Amino acid sequence: MRVTFPRLGTMHIFCKAIAETAGIPYLVPPMTSRKTLALGVKNSNECICLPFKVILGNFIEALQRGADTIVMVGSGPPCRLGLYDLVHQVILTDLGLNYRWLTIPSRLTWAAFIKNHEETKLLRKELTPRNYLTFPYALYIGWRKMLATEHLEKLAMQVRAHEVIRGRTQRNLQHALRILDDARGGKAIKEAVREGGRIINETEQEPGRRPLRVAIVGELYTVMDPEINGGVEQRLGELGVTVTRSSWFSTHINRSLGLGREHKRERESFYQASEEYLGYDVGGECNTSVGEAIIRARQGYDGVVHLMPFACMPETTAAAVLKQVSKDHHIPVLTLTLDEQDVESRIQTLLEAFVDMLLWRRDKGLAAA
Ligand code: SF4
């Protein structure tokens, strides 16, 4: 057995930690590249959303390199993510690739439990008693690594806006994440976080700078994966902007499991704010995108960047509503629709123009205090 999973942001760090700690052989898919995207595009329906194509490309590359078991998260309607696993399996089978499939349900229901039981029938025969015994601890280590990764990324988001040498924070963040990736066990993770924090904080900073504040909202895959969004978070930071986002692995996992009071409260506040414009749950992150933009306007943010994949149903709705939110709540919103043809120069130009406009608003006293 050789397990693989989608390549999404820093997800490979904690997935790897779980597999390694439980002694389960794994293969991290290669970093998402033009080739990954080309494989996904070639083998998908052109109308399907971008994350579907990228994840398909990840799976094809991983299977071609020797993985044989795919672990994928599930979801429910109305978003297409709920059908990803079914359609991916049909395509991979048509391509003649051999694989076993395991869907991690987004909600613990009887139907999900039965499906999971069926899917793991063969896999269970290959797992050893050691795999079973260490699995709970492996999940704990994976969770710790996920929180540690997010902590370092959040720290970098603050530091980047003040950096003197462009790109230095990103280099230091990558260094810190490599140390964390290599850490084995709880004590080593704690030490890696301390060391990583020190490395990021060592970035030369200009203390007097007054960065703009921008929130990134939108479809979770495009928000969390810099390979797909062309590094929007990093680019904004390097333009002197402090970036905030509420989409993290931990927030989504907590939401699925009904845990994390603080995240729950924050998400509820986004939903409540969105009710001014949306009378029901549109699906995906639509309500959250709209509600978060309103809350950030109330908090005095300078702007909102809304990320959406081309052909994404919920975020197309959000994009239309956000135009009105922008007028009503006096907050500039830049919607970036990402597709397979995207070029980094287009994203950079749009972000530079957006930041220039935000600075102009601030100079004219038009921005929130
Ligand atoms: S939220 Fe949008 S991009 Fe994501 S799966 Fe649903 S339709 Fe596709």
Side-chain angles (χ1 to χ4, degrees):
M1 182 196 328
R2 216 157 168 219
V3 170
T4 194
F5 33 80
R7 179 105 196 196
L8 165 53
T10 48
M11 180 176 157
H12 59 283
I13 295 180
F14 66 83
C15 287
K16 221 175 113 177
I18 295 172
E20 266 172 11
T21 313
I24 298 170
Y26 66 91
L27 186 138
V28 176
M31 212 141 118
T32 299
S33 61
R34 282 273 140 206
K35 186 180 162 218
T36 317
L37 193 53
L39 280 169
V41 170
K42 184 176 163 212
N43 295 295
S44 315
N45 183 305
E46 63 172 334
C47 299
I48 194 79
C49 39
L50 185 63
F52 179 97
K53 296 171 184 167
V54 176
I55 296 172
L56 180 64
N58 290 151
F59 289 158
I60 295 174
E61 285 187 308
L63 293 177
Q64 285 172 345
R65 286 176 184 226
D68 59 17
T69 305
I70 292 171
V71 180
M72 173 70 181
V73 287
S75 175
C79 178
R80 290 173 191 156
L81 184 60
L83 294 171
Y84 273 20
D85 61 336
L86 298 175
V87 187
H88 276 151
Q89 288 181 61
V90 172
I91 297 173
L92 294 173
T93 305
D94 283 352
L95 287 173
L97 293 163
N98 289 321
Y99 64 91
R100 273 92 52 95
W101 189 279
L102 175 60
T103 306
I104 299 180
S106 60
R107 284 195 180 81
L108 299 175
T109 59
W110 277 111
F113 180 76
I114 293 165
K115 187 176 175 211
N116 201 269
H117 184 78
E118 281 302 310
E119 285 178 343
T120 50
K121 247 184 200 164
L122 277 177
L123 296 179
R124 283 198 302 266
K125 288 185 193 150
E126 292 177 37
L127 292 172
T128 63
R130 191 204 150 211
N131 298 143
Y132 283 108
L133 283 173
T134 49
F135 200 67
Y137 178 64
L139 286 179
Y140 166 73
I141 289 294
W143 180 253
R144 290 270 311 265
K145 274 211 178 178
M146 180 201 300
L147 295 183
T149 308
E150 293 177 357
H151 169 78
L152 295 174
E153 288 182 288
K154 284 176 191 170
L155 178 62
M157 285 156 105
Q158 297 299 318
V159 171
R160 203 180 275 125
H162 296 270
E163 70 184 9
V164 173
I165 303 169
R166 189 179 270 213
R168 191 51 64 90
T169 315
Q170 188 62 16
R171 219 176 71 182
N172 290 347
L173 172 65
Q174 293 309 332
H175 182 188
L177 291 177
R178 276 197 300 278
I179 293 173
L180 179 63
D181 194 14
D182 290 339
R184 302 282 174 272
K187 211 170 144 205
I189 293 174
K190 205 168 162 188
E191 186 48 43
V193 173
R194 201 175 307 128
E195 177 64 3
R198 189 190 60 74
I199 291 169
I200 295 169
N201 277 321
E202 253 178 14
T203 312
E204 195 186 345
Q205 297 172 58
E206 195 186 305
R209 205 179 281 171
R210 197 159 66 92
L212 293 163
R213 287 197 302 158
V214 167
I216 298 183
V217 303
E219 190 272 337
L220 64 95
Y221 195 94
T222 35
V223 170
M224 294 201 292
D225 191 22
E227 302 306 321
I228 292 300
N229 67 35
V232 165
E233 191 174 293
Q234 184 189 339
R235 286 172 194 278
L236 280 170
E238 289 172 3
L239 289 168
V241 175
T242 305
V243 181
T244 306
R245 61 173 155 109
S246 66
S247 222
W248 297 93
F249 292 109
S250 59
T251 44
H252 294 294
I253 293 173
N254 271 328
R255 172 165 58 106
S256 297
L257 298 175
L259 302 171
R261 225 177 289 160
E262 201 185 310
H263 294 312
K264 212 168 155 196
R265 230 178 289 137
E266 184 182 62
R267 203 162 166 96
E268 276 167 9
S269 72
F270 296 156
Y271 259 81
Q272 277 162 13
S274 76
E275 281 168 7
E276 192 183 332
Y277 299 89
L278 299 164
Y280 59 94
D281 184 357
V282 178
E285 295 298 295
C286 176
N287 296 57
T288 307
S289 297
V290 171
E292 184 168 355
I294 296 169
I295 300 276
R296 298 304 179 202
R298 287 182 196 152
Q299 290 172 341
Y301 272 68
D302 295 285
V304 170
V305 171
H306 173 226
L307 299 180
M308 58 174 272
F310 178 68
C312 170
M313 299 179 297
E315 295 306 325
T316 303
T317 309
V321 178
L322 281 170
K323 281 188 188 146
Q324 195 57 40
V325 169
S326 172
K327 283 184 199 152
D328 296 346
H329 293 267
H330 312 291
I331 185 158
V333 178
L334 170 69
T335 291
L336 283 178
T337 307
L338 301 153
D339 72 11
E340 57 249 33
Q341 267 102 41
D342 252 309
V343 277
E344 292 186 352
S345 52
R346 178 185 84 97
I347 295 169
Q348 181 68 18
T349 308
L350 288 169
L351 292 177
E352 280 176 9
F354 187 62
V355 170
D356 276 353
M357 185 266 290
L358 297 184
L359 286 170
W360 174 83
R361 281 182 95 241
R362 186 162 78 180
D363 288 348
K364 295 280 171 203
L366 299 170

